[in-house]
Coordinates of all heavy atoms in Angstrom, one line a residue:
M29 N 37.9 14.8 14.3 CA 37.5 14.5 12.9 C 37.5 15.8 12.2 O 37.1 16.8 12.7 CB 36.2 13.8 12.9 CG 35.7 13.4 11.5 SD 34.2 12.6 11.5 CE 34.8 10.9 11.4
K30 N 38.0 15.8 10.9 CA 38.1 17.0 10.1 C 36.7 17.3 9.6 O 35.8 16.5 9.3 CB 39.0 16.7 8.9 CG 40.4 16.5 9.4 CD 41.3 16.4 8.2 CE 42.8 16.2 8.6 NZ 43.7 16.1 7.5
P31 N 36.4 18.6 9.5 CA 35.0 19.1 9.2 C 34.5 18.6 7.8 O 33.4 18.2 7.7 CB 35.2 20.6 9.1 CG 36.4 21.0 9.9 CD 37.3 19.8 9.8
H32 N 35.4 18.5 6.8 CA 35.0 18.0 5.5 C 34.5 16.6 5.5 O 33.7 16.1 4.8 CB 36.0 18.3 4.4 CG 37.3 17.5 4.6 ND1 38.2 17.8 5.5 CD2 37.7 16.4 3.9 CE1 39.2 16.9 5.4 NE2 38.9 16.0 4.5
R33 N 35.2 15.8 6.4 CA 34.8 14.3 6.5 C 33.4 14.2 7.2 O 32.6 13.4 6.8 CB 35.8 13.6 7.3 CG 37.1 13.4 6.6 CD 38.1 12.6 7.3 NE 39.4 12.5 6.6 CZ 40.5 12.1 7.1 NH1 40.5 11.8 8.4 NH2 41.6 12.1 6.4
L34 N 33.2 15.1 8.2 CA 31.9 15.0 8.9 C 30.8 15.4 7.9 O 29.7 14.8 7.8 CB 31.9 16.0 10.0 CG 30.7 16.1 10.9 CD1 30.3 14.7 11.5 CD2 30.8 17.2 12.0
M35 N 31.0 16.4 7.1 CA 30.0 16.9 6.1 C 29.8 15.8 5.1 O 28.6 15.5 4.7 CB 30.5 18.2 5.4 CG 29.5 18.7 4.4 SD 28.0 19.1 5.1 CE 28.2 20.8 5.2
R36 N 30.8 15.1 4.6 CA 30.7 14.0 3.6 C 29.8 12.9 4.2 O 29.0 12.3 3.5 CB 32.1 13.5 3.2 CG 32.0 12.5 2.1 CD 33.3 12.1 1.6 NE 34.4 12.3 2.6 CZ 35.7 12.0 2.3 NH1 36.0 11.7 1.2 NH2 36.6 12.2 3.3
E37 N 30.0 12.6 5.5 CA 29.2 11.5 6.1 C 27.8 11.9 6.2 O 26.9 11.1 5.9 CB 29.8 11.2 7.5 CG 31.1 10.4 7.5 CD 31.6 10.1 8.9 OE1 30.8 10.3 9.8 OE2 32.8 9.8 9.0
R38 N 27.5 13.1 6.5 CA 26.1 13.6 6.6 C 25.4 13.6 5.2 O 24.3 13.1 5.1 CB 26.0 15.0 7.2 CG 26.4 15.0 8.7 CD 26.1 16.3 9.3 NE 24.7 16.5 9.4 CZ 24.1 17.7 9.4 NH1 24.8 18.8 9.4 NH2 22.8 17.8 9.4
V39 N 26.2 14.0 4.2 CA 25.6 14.0 2.8 C 25.4 12.6 2.4 O 24.3 12.3 1.8 CB 26.5 14.8 1.9 CG1 26.1 14.5 0.4 CG2 26.6 16.2 2.2
T40 N 26.3 11.7 2.7 CA 26.1 10.3 2.3 C 24.9 9.7 3.0 O 24.1 9.0 2.4 CB 27.4 9.5 2.7 OG1 28.5 10.1 2.0 CG2 27.2 8.0 2.3
D41 N 24.7 10.0 4.3 CA 23.6 9.5 5.1 C 22.2 10.0 4.5 O 21.3 9.3 4.3 CB 23.7 9.9 6.5 CG 24.8 9.2 7.3 OD1 25.2 8.1 6.8 OD2 25.1 9.6 8.4
I42 N 22.2 11.3 4.1 CA 21.0 11.9 3.6 C 20.7 11.3 2.2 O 19.5 11.0 1.9 CB 21.2 13.4 3.5 CG1 21.2 14.0 4.9 CG2 20.0 14.0 2.6 CD1 21.6 15.5 4.9
A43 N 21.7 11.1 1.4 CA 21.5 10.5 0.1 C 21.0 9.0 0.2 O 20.1 8.6 -0.5 CB 22.8 10.5 -0.7
A44 N 21.5 8.3 1.2 CA 21.1 6.9 1.4 C 19.6 6.9 1.8 O 18.8 6.1 1.4 CB 21.9 6.2 2.4
E45 N 19.2 7.8 2.7 CA 17.8 7.9 3.1 C 16.9 8.3 2.0 O 15.8 7.7 1.8 CB 17.7 8.9 4.3 CG 18.2 8.4 5.6 CD 18.0 9.4 6.7 OE1 17.0 10.1 6.7 OE2 18.8 9.5 7.6
A46 N 17.4 9.2 1.1 CA 16.6 9.6 0.0 C 16.4 8.5 -1.0 O 15.3 8.3 -1.5 CB 17.2 10.8 -0.7
S47 N 17.4 7.7 -1.3 CA 17.3 6.6 -2.2 C 16.4 5.5 -1.6 O 15.6 4.9 -2.4 CB 18.6 6.0 -2.6 OG 19.3 5.5 -1.5
A48 N 16.4 5.3 -0.3 CA 15.6 4.3 0.3 C 14.1 4.7 0.2 O 13.2 3.9 -0.1 CB 16.0 4.0 1.7
Y49 N 13.9 6.0 0.4 CA 12.5 6.6 0.3 C 12.0 6.4 -1.1 O 10.8 5.9 -1.3 CB 12.5 8.0 0.7 CG 11.2 8.7 0.3 CD1 10.1 8.6 1.2 CD2 11.1 9.6 -0.8 CE1 8.9 9.2 0.9 CE2 9.9 10.2 -1.1 CZ 8.8 10.0 -0.2 OH 7.7 10.7 -0.5
L50 N 12.8 6.6 -2.1 CA 12.3 6.5 -3.5 C 12.1 5.0 -3.9 O 11.1 4.7 -4.6 CB 13.4 7.1 -4.5 CG 13.5 8.6 -4.4 CD1 14.7 9.1 -5.3 CD2 12.2 9.3 -4.8
R51 N 12.9 4.1 -3.3 CA 12.6 2.7 -3.6 C 11.3 2.3 -3.0 O 10.5 1.6 -3.6 CB 13.7 1.8 -2.9 CG 15.0 1.7 -3.8 CD 15.8 0.5 -3.3 NE 16.2 0.6 -1.9 CZ 17.2 1.4 -1.4 NH1 18.0 2.1 -2.3 NH2 17.5 1.4 -0.1
R52 N 11.0 2.8 -1.7 CA 9.7 2.4 -1.1 C 8.5 3.0 -1.9 O 7.5 2.3 -2.1 CB 9.7 3.0 0.3 CG 10.5 2.2 1.3 CD 10.2 2.6 2.7 NE 10.4 4.0 3.0 CZ 11.5 4.6 3.4 NH1 12.6 3.8 3.5 NH2 11.6 5.9 3.6
R53 N 8.7 4.2 -2.4 CA 7.6 4.8 -3.2 C 7.4 4.0 -4.5 O 6.3 3.8 -4.9 CB 8.0 6.3 -3.6 CG 8.0 7.2 -2.4 CD 6.6 7.6 -2.1 NE 5.9 8.1 -3.3 CZ 4.8 8.8 -3.2 NH1 4.2 9.0 -2.1 NH2 4.2 9.2 -4.3
K54 N 8.5 3.6 -5.1 CA 8.3 2.8 -6.4 C 7.6 1.5 -6.1 O 6.8 1.1 -6.9 CB 9.7 2.6 -7.0 CG 9.7 1.9 -8.3 CD 11.1 1.8 -8.9 CE 11.0 1.1 -10.3 NZ 12.3 0.9 -10.8
L55 N 7.9 0.9 -5.0 CA 7.3 -0.4 -4.6 C 5.8 -0.2 -4.3 O 5.0 -1.0 -4.6 CB 8.0 -1.1 -3.4 CG 9.3 -1.6 -3.6 CD1 9.9 -2.1 -2.3 CD2 9.3 -2.7 -4.7
E56 N 5.4 0.9 -3.7 CA 4.1 1.2 -3.3 C 3.2 1.4 -4.6 O 2.0 1.2 -4.5 CB 4.0 2.4 -2.4 CG 4.5 2.1 -1.0 CD 4.5 3.4 -0.2 OE1 4.0 4.5 -0.7 OE2 5.0 3.3 0.9
K57 N 3.8 1.9 -5.7 CA 3.0 2.2 -6.8 C 2.6 1.0 -7.7 O 1.8 1.0 -8.5 CB 3.7 3.2 -7.7 CG 3.8 4.6 -7.1 CD 4.4 5.6 -8.0 CE 4.4 6.9 -7.3 NZ 5.0 8.0 -8.2
N58 N 3.3 -0.1 -7.5 CA 3.1 -1.4 -8.2 C 1.9 -2.1 -7.6 O 1.9 -2.3 -6.4 CB 4.3 -2.3 -8.2 CG 5.4 -1.7 -9.0 OD1 5.2 -0.9 -9.9 ND2 6.6 -2.1 -8.6
P59 N 0.8 -2.4 -8.4 CA -0.3 -3.1 -7.8 C 0.0 -4.5 -7.3 O 0.8 -5.2 -8.0 CB -1.4 -3.1 -8.9 CG -0.6 -2.9 -10.1 CD 0.7 -2.1 -9.8
F60 N -0.5 -4.9 -6.2 CA -0.3 -6.3 -5.8 C -1.5 -6.7 -5.0 O -2.3 -5.9 -4.5 CB 1.0 -6.4 -5.0 CG 0.9 -5.7 -3.7 CD1 0.5 -6.3 -2.5 CD2 1.3 -4.3 -3.6 CE1 0.5 -5.6 -1.3 CE2 1.2 -3.6 -2.4 CZ 0.8 -4.3 -1.2
A61 N -1.7 -8.0 -4.8 CA -2.8 -8.6 -4.0 C -2.1 -9.3 -2.8 O -1.2 -10.1 -3.0 CB -3.6 -9.5 -4.8
R62 N -2.5 -9.0 -1.6 CA -1.9 -9.6 -0.5 C -3.0 -10.6 0.1 O -4.1 -10.3 0.2 CB -1.6 -8.6 0.6 CG -0.9 -9.3 1.8 CD -0.4 -8.3 2.8 NE 0.4 -7.2 2.3 CZ 1.7 -7.2 2.0 NH1 2.4 -8.3 2.2 NH2 2.3 -6.2 1.6
V63 N -2.5 -11.8 0.3 CA -3.4 -12.9 0.8 C -2.9 -13.3 2.2 O -1.7 -13.5 2.4 CB -3.3 -14.1 -0.1 CG1 -4.2 -15.3 0.4 CG2 -3.7 -13.8 -1.5
Y64 N -3.9 -13.3 3.1 CA -3.5 -13.7 4.5 C -4.1 -15.1 4.8 O -5.2 -15.4 4.4 CB -4.2 -12.7 5.5 CG -3.6 -11.3 5.4 CD1 -4.2 -10.3 4.6 CD2 -2.5 -10.9 6.1 CE1 -3.7 -9.0 4.5 CE2 -1.9 -9.7 6.0 CZ -2.5 -8.7 5.2 OH -2.0 -7.5 5.1
Y65 N -3.2 -15.9 5.4 CA -3.6 -17.3 5.7 C -3.9 -17.4 7.2 O -3.5 -16.6 8.0 CB -2.4 -18.2 5.4 CG -2.1 -18.2 3.9 CD1 -1.1 -17.3 3.3 CD2 -2.8 -19.0 3.0 CE1 -0.9 -17.3 2.0 CE2 -2.5 -19.0 1.6 CZ -1.6 -18.1 1.1 OH -1.3 -18.1 -0.2
P66 N -4.7 -18.4 7.5 CA -5.2 -18.6 8.9 C -4.0 -18.7 9.9 O -4.2 -18.2 11.1 CB -6.0 -19.9 8.9 CG -6.4 -20.1 7.5 CD -5.3 -19.4 6.7
E67 N -2.9 -19.3 9.6 CA -1.8 -19.5 10.5 C -1.0 -18.2 10.8 O 0.0 -18.2 11.5 CB -0.9 -20.6 10.2 CG -0.3 -20.5 8.8 CD -1.1 -21.1 7.7 OE1 -2.2 -21.6 7.9 OE2 -0.6 -21.1 6.5
G68 N -1.4 -17.1 10.1 CA -0.8 -15.8 10.4 C 0.2 -15.3 9.3 O 0.6 -14.2 9.3
R69 N 0.6 -16.1 8.4 CA 1.5 -15.7 7.3 C 0.7 -15.0 6.2 O -0.5 -15.1 6.1 CB 2.3 -16.8 6.8 CG 1.6 -17.8 5.9 CD 2.5 -18.9 5.4 NE 1.8 -19.9 4.6 CZ 1.6 -19.8 3.3 NH1 2.2 -18.8 2.6 NH2 0.9 -20.7 2.6
S70 N 1.4 -14.2 5.4 CA 0.8 -13.5 4.3 C 1.7 -13.6 3.1 O 2.9 -13.9 3.2 CB 0.5 -12.1 4.6 OG 1.7 -11.4 4.8
A71 N 1.1 -13.4 1.9 CA 1.9 -13.4 0.7 C 1.4 -12.4 -0.2 O 0.2 -12.2 -0.3 CB 1.8 -14.8 0.0
A72 N 2.3 -11.7 -0.9 CA 1.9 -10.6 -1.8 C 2.2 -11.1 -3.2 O 3.2 -11.7 -3.5 CB 2.8 -9.4 -1.6
H73 N 1.2 -11.0 -4.1 CA 1.2 -11.5 -5.5 C 1.1 -10.3 -6.4 O 0.1 -9.5 -6.3 CB 0.1 -12.5 -5.8 CG 0.1 -13.7 -4.9 ND1 1.0 -14.7 -5.1 CD2 -0.6 -14.0 -3.8 CE1 0.8 -15.6 -4.1 NE2 -0.2 -15.2 -3.3
T74 N 2.1 -10.1 -7.3 CA 2.0 -9.0 -8.3 C 1.2 -9.4 -9.4 O 0.9 -10.6 -9.6 CB 3.4 -8.7 -8.8 OG1 4.0 -9.8 -9.4 CG2 4.3 -8.2 -7.6
A75 N 0.8 -8.5 -10.3 CA -0.1 -8.8 -11.4 C 0.6 -9.6 -12.5 O 0.0 -10.2 -13.4 CB -0.6 -7.5 -12.0
E76 N 1.9 -9.7 -12.4 CA 2.7 -10.5 -13.4 C 2.7 -12.0 -13.2 O 2.9 -12.8 -14.0 CB 4.1 -10.0 -13.5 CG 4.3 -8.6 -14.1 CD 4.1 -7.5 -13.0 OE1 4.3 -7.8 -11.8 OE2 3.6 -6.4 -13.4
T77 N 2.4 -12.4 -11.9 CA 2.4 -13.8 -11.6 C 1.0 -14.4 -12.0 O 0.0 -13.7 -12.1 CB 2.6 -14.1 -10.1 OG1 1.6 -13.5 -9.4 CG2 4.0 -13.5 -9.7
D78 N 1.0 -15.8 -12.1 CA -0.3 -16.4 -12.4 C -1.3 -16.3 -11.3 O -2.5 -16.0 -11.5 CB -0.1 -17.9 -12.7 CG 0.7 -18.2 -14.0 OD1 0.6 -17.3 -14.9 OD2 1.3 -19.2 -14.2
A79 N -0.8 -16.4 -10.1 CA -1.7 -16.3 -8.9 C -2.2 -14.8 -8.8 O -3.4 -14.6 -8.5 CB -1.0 -16.7 -7.6
G80 N -1.4 -13.9 -9.1 CA -1.7 -12.5 -9.0 C -2.8 -12.1 -10.1 O -3.8 -11.4 -9.8
K81 N -2.6 -12.7 -11.3 CA -3.6 -12.4 -12.4 C -5.0 -13.0 -12.0 O -6.0 -12.3 -12.1 CB -3.1 -13.1 -13.7 CG -2.0 -12.4 -14.3 CD -1.5 -13.2 -15.6 CE -0.3 -12.6 -16.1 NZ 0.3 -13.4 -17.2
A82 N -5.0 -14.2 -11.4 CA -6.2 -14.8 -11.0 C -6.9 -13.9 -9.9 O -8.1 -13.7 -9.9 CB -6.0 -16.2 -10.5
L83 N -6.1 -13.4 -8.9 CA -6.6 -12.6 -7.8 C -7.2 -11.3 -8.4 O -8.3 -10.8 -7.9 CB -5.6 -12.4 -6.8 CG -5.2 -13.6 -5.9 CD1 -3.9 -13.3 -5.1 CD2 -6.3 -13.9 -5.0
F84 N -6.5 -10.7 -9.3 CA -7.0 -9.4 -9.9 C -8.3 -9.6 -10.7 O -9.2 -8.8 -10.6 CB -5.9 -8.8 -10.7 CG -4.9 -8.0 -9.9 CD1 -3.7 -8.6 -9.5 CD2 -5.1 -6.7 -9.6 CE1 -2.8 -7.9 -8.8 CE2 -4.2 -6.0 -8.8 CZ -3.0 -6.6 -8.5
V85 N -8.4 -10.7 -11.4 CA -9.6 -11.0 -12.1 C -10.8 -11.2 -11.1 O -11.9 -10.7 -11.3 CB -9.4 -12.2 -13.0 CG1 -10.7 -12.7 -13.6 CG2 -8.5 -11.9 -14.2
A86 N -10.5 -12.0 -10.1 CA -11.6 -12.3 -9.1 C -12.0 -11.0 -8.4 O -13.2 -10.7 -8.2 CB -11.0 -13.3 -8.0
A87 N -11.0 -10.1 -8.1 CA -11.3 -8.8 -7.4 C -12.2 -7.9 -8.4 O -13.1 -7.3 -7.9 CB -10.1 -8.1 -7.0
S88 N -11.8 -7.9 -9.6 CA -12.6 -7.1 -10.6 C -14.0 -7.6 -10.7 O -15.0 -6.8 -10.8 CB -11.9 -7.0 -11.9 OG -12.0 -8.3 -12.6
H89 N -14.2 -8.9 -10.7 CA -15.6 -9.4 -10.7 C -16.4 -9.0 -9.4 O -17.5 -8.7 -9.5 CB -15.6 -11.0 -10.9 CG -15.1 -11.4 -12.2 ND1 -15.7 -11.0 -13.4 CD2 -14.2 -12.3 -12.6 CE1 -15.1 -11.5 -14.4 NE2 -14.1 -12.4 -13.9
L90 N -15.7 -9.1 -8.3 CA -16.4 -8.7 -7.1 C -16.8 -7.2 -7.1 O -17.9 -6.9 -6.7 CB -15.5 -9.0 -5.8 CG -15.3 -10.5 -5.5 CD1 -14.3 -10.6 -4.4 CD2 -16.7 -11.0 -5.0
I91 N -15.9 -6.4 -7.6 CA -16.2 -5.0 -7.7 C -17.3 -4.7 -8.6 O -18.2 -3.9 -8.4 CB -14.9 -4.2 -8.1 CG1 -13.9 -4.3 -7.0 CG2 -15.2 -2.8 -8.5 CD1 -12.5 -3.8 -7.4
E92 N -17.4 -5.5 -9.7 CA -18.4 -5.3 -10.7 C -19.8 -5.7 -10.1 O -20.8 -5.0 -10.3 CB -18.1 -6.2 -11.9 CG -18.9 -6.0 -13.1 CD -18.4 -6.9 -14.3 OE1 -17.3 -6.7 -14.7 OE2 -19.2 -7.8 -14.7
I93 N -19.8 -6.8 -9.4 CA -21.0 -7.3 -8.7 C -21.5 -6.3 -7.7 O -22.7 -6.0 -7.5 CB -20.8 -8.7 -8.1 CG1 -20.6 -9.7 -9.2 CG2 -22.0 -9.0 -7.2 CD1 -20.2 -11.0 -8.7
A94 N -20.6 -5.7 -6.9 CA -20.9 -4.8 -5.8 C -21.6 -3.5 -6.3 O -22.4 -2.9 -5.6 CB -19.7 -4.4 -5.0
G95 N -21.3 -3.1 -7.5 CA -22.0 -1.9 -8.0 C -21.2 -0.7 -7.5 O -20.2 -0.7 -6.9
P96 N -21.8 0.5 -7.8 CA -21.2 1.8 -7.5 C -21.2 2.0 -5.9 O -22.1 1.4 -5.3 CB -22.0 2.8 -8.1 CG -23.3 2.2 -8.4 CD -23.1 0.7 -8.5
P97 N -20.2 2.7 -5.4 CA -20.2 2.9 -4.0 C -21.4 3.8 -3.5 O -21.9 4.6 -4.3 CB -18.9 3.7 -3.8 CG -18.5 4.2 -5.1 CD -19.1 3.4 -6.1
L98 N -21.7 3.6 -2.3 CA -22.9 4.3 -1.7 C -22.4 5.7 -1.4 O -21.3 6.0 -1.0 CB -23.3 3.6 -0.4 CG -23.9 2.2 -0.5 CD1 -24.2 1.7 0.9 CD2 -25.1 2.2 -1.4
T99 N -23.4 6.6 -1.5 CA -23.1 8.0 -1.1 C -23.2 8.1 0.4 O -23.7 7.2 1.1 CB -24.1 9.0 -1.8 OG1 -25.4 8.7 -1.3 CG2 -24.1 8.9 -3.3
R100 N -22.8 9.2 1.0 CA -22.9 9.4 2.4 C -24.4 9.3 2.9 O -24.7 8.7 3.9 CB -22.3 10.7 2.9 CG -20.8 10.7 2.8 CD -20.3 11.9 3.4 NE -18.8 11.8 3.4 CZ -18.1 12.6 4.1 NH1 -18.6 13.5 4.9 NH2 -16.7 12.5 4.0
R101 N -25.3 9.8 2.1 CA -26.7 9.8 2.5 C -27.2 8.4 2.5 O -28.0 8.0 3.4 CB -27.5 10.7 1.5 CG -29.0 10.7 1.9 CD -29.7 11.7 1.1 NE -29.4 13.0 1.7 CZ -29.6 14.1 1.0 NH1 -30.1 14.2 -0.2 NH2 -29.3 15.3 1.6
Q102 N -26.8 7.6 1.5 CA -27.2 6.2 1.5 C -26.6 5.3 2.6 O -27.2 4.4 3.0 CB -26.8 5.6 0.1 CG -27.6 6.1 -1.0 CD -27.0 5.7 -2.3 OE1 -25.8 5.4 -2.5 NE2 -27.8 5.6 -3.4
Q103 N -25.4 5.7 3.1 CA -24.7 5.0 4.1 C -25.4 5.2 5.5 O -25.2 4.4 6.4 CB -23.3 5.4 4.2 CG -22.5 4.9 3.0 CD -21.0 5.4 3.1 OE1 -20.7 6.1 4.0 NE2 -20.2 5.0 2.1
K104 N -26.1 6.3 5.7 CA -26.7 6.6 7.0 C -27.8 5.6 7.3 O -28.6 5.3 6.5 CB -27.2 8.0 7.1 CG -26.2 9.1 7.1 CD -26.8 10.5 7.2 CE -25.7 11.5 7.2 NZ -26.3 12.9 7.3
R105 N -27.8 5.1 8.5 CA -28.8 4.2 8.9 C -30.1 4.9 9.2 O -30.1 6.0 9.7 CB -28.4 3.5 10.2 CG -27.3 2.6 10.1 CD -27.0 1.9 11.4 NE -26.0 0.9 11.3 CZ -25.5 0.2 12.3 NH1 -25.9 0.5 13.5 NH2 -24.5 -0.6 12.1
P106 N -31.2 4.3 8.8 CA -32.5 4.9 9.1 C -32.8 4.9 10.6 O -32.3 4.0 11.3 CB -33.5 4.1 8.4 CG -32.8 2.8 8.1 CD -31.4 3.1 8.1
K107 N -33.5 5.9 11.1 CA -33.7 6.0 12.6 C -34.8 4.9 12.9 O -35.7 4.6 12.2 CB -34.3 7.4 13.0 CG -33.2 8.4 12.8 CD -33.8 9.7 13.3 CE -32.7 10.8 13.2 NZ -33.2 12.1 13.6
A108 N -34.6 4.3 14.1 CA -35.5 3.3 14.6 C -36.9 4.0 14.9 O -36.9 5.2 15.4 CB -35.0 2.7 15.9
P109 N -38.0 3.3 14.6 CA -39.3 3.9 14.9 C -39.5 4.2 16.4 O -39.0 3.4 17.2 CB -40.3 2.9 14.3 CG -39.5 1.6 14.2 CD -38.1 2.0 14.1
A110 N -40.2 5.2 16.7 CA -40.5 5.6 18.1 C -41.4 4.6 18.7 O -42.4 4.1 18.0 CB -41.0 7.0 18.2
R111 N -41.2 4.2 19.9 CA -42.1 3.2 20.6 C -43.1 3.9 21.4 O -43.1 4.8 22.0 CB -41.3 2.3 21.4 CG -40.5 1.4 20.6 CD -39.8 0.4 21.4 NE -39.0 -0.5 20.6 CZ -38.4 -1.6 21.0 NH1 -38.5 -1.9 22.2 NH2 -37.7 -2.3 20.2

């Protein structure tokens, strides 16, 4: 095989990997809600769908009810009393 063809294949492979990486990054940045069902299947709902909107509203209510996150000191369990 001629050297310039080998180089072109490598550049093409690298470019394909880079574009796939950017696609994955773009998908990761879009918010979505994933729902798991008892039989093992799952479904991802974006914020643009009706189901996704309802899930995001429900999640925001749960977060609101839960209050602020605990600090590390609050998370530590109290020691059991000595017997």
Side-chain angles (χ1 to χ4, degrees):
M29 183 175 261
K30 295 185 178 182
H32 67 280
R33 289 184 185 162
L34 181 61
M35 181 62 102
R36 184 175 26 184
E37 286 180 17
R38 290 190 67 207
V39 170
T40 303
D41 290 343
I42 292 169
E45 286 182 35
S47 66
Y49 170 77
L50 291 174
R51 277 195 306 277
R52 285 192 304 271
R53 290 285 303 199
K54 187 176 180 182
L55 290 175
E56 289 175 4
K57 290 184 179 183
N58 295 331
F60 67 94
R62 186 175 308 278
V63 179
Y64 294 94
Y65 296 94
E67 59 270 3
R69 71 180 180 92
S70 66
H73 301 280
T74 61
E76 291 82 28
T77 63
D78 290 336
K81 287 176 188 173
L83 288 167
F84 278 94
V85 168
S88 68
H89 290 307
L90 287 172
I91 292 168
E92 192 176 298
I93 291 169
L98 298 176
T99 64
R100 286 187 179 196
R101 181 169 285 163
Q102 292 170 329
Q103 290 176 356
K104 289 184 179 177
R105 291 183 176 174
K107 293 183 178 179
R111 292 186 178 188

